[in-house]
């Protein structure tokens, strides 16, 4: 897997990876109002700001297809998505490993907000839940997530 820093011309790629993954995976875990919240949160403005700040990376498979993305904000892993057709093939783990190395080069602790579909992945990677949050979404729907952390062992 090749992981490259995103540039503004990659905006549509990052948007497509993020939104396609949310629309296909999240309805299995969240009600419609929460899915809509996620889509609105990962909007053009927020992704553009992160790309311009040099925080967004894109993962490419062996044939050069953009298959995943991760955003790193200081010691926080954000917006980690792998297109559904590429899930279960180790690409998400490679993006997490990349983000962890990048963060642990500077910080001794990583934090992230784990969606319900991602929580098990982070638990397997030795993250621990430190907080639990519920956000009220449209139509009284609830969006639940854990704040998780992992400390450097060095």
């Amino acid at each position: 897997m090749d992981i490259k820093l995103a540039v503004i011309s990659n905006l549509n790629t990052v948007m497509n990876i993020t939104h396609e993954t949310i629309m296909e995976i999240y309805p299995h875990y969240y009600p419609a109002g929460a899915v809509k919240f996620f889509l609105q949160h990962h909007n053009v403005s927020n992704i553009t700001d992160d790309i311009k700040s040099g925080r967004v990376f894109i993962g490419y498979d062996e044939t050069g297809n953009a298959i995943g993305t991760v955003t790193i904000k200081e010691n926080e892993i954000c917006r980690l998505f792998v297109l559904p057709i590429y899930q279960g093939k180790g690409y998400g783990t490679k993006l997490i490993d990349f983000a962890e190395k990048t963060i642990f080069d500077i910080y001794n602790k990583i934090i992230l907000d784990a969606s319900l579909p991602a929580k098990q992945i982070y638990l397997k990677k030795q993250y621990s839940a430190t907080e639990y949050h519920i956000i009220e979404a449209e139509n009284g729907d609830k969006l639940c997530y854990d704040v998780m952390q992992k400390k450097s062992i060095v």
Side-chain angles (χ1 to χ4, degrees), residues 9-67:
S9 61
N10 300 128
L11 174 62
N12 285 338
T13 300
V14 175
M15 286 288 299
N16 289 340
I17 292 168
T18 302
H19 282 228
E20 184 176 327
T21 305
I22 291 169
M23 289 186 295
E24 188 166 329
I25 302 299
Y26 283 38
H28 299 287
Y29 296 86
Y30 291 106
V35 173
K36 185 174 180 181
F37 178 94
F38 279 112
L39 291 169
Q40 290 172 341
H41 177 69
H42 297 291
N43 61 43
V44 170
S45 177
N46 288 340
I47 293 173
T48 299
D49 289 347
D50 287 337
I51 289 173
K52 287 180 178 178
S53 297
R55 301 174 180 156
V56 181
F57 298 85
I58 301 173
Y60 297 88
D61 71 3
E62 298 73 24
T63 61
N65 294 314
I67 54 88

Side-chain angles (χ1 to χ4, degrees), residues 46-92:
N46 288 340
I47 293 173
T48 299
D49 289 347
D50 287 337
I51 289 173
K52 287 180 178 178
S53 297
R55 301 174 180 156
V56 181
F57 298 85
I58 301 173
Y60 297 88
D61 71 3
E62 298 73 24
T63 61
N65 294 314
I67 54 88
T69 185
V70 63
T71 299
I72 303 169
K73 295 180 182 180
E74 297 179 4
N75 71 325
E76 184 177 5
I77 297 175
C78 308
R79 197 182 300 114
L80 194 151
F81 292 101
V82 174
L83 286 168
I85 62 169
Y86 293 97
Q87 291 181 7
K89 299 177 188 209
Y91 293 116

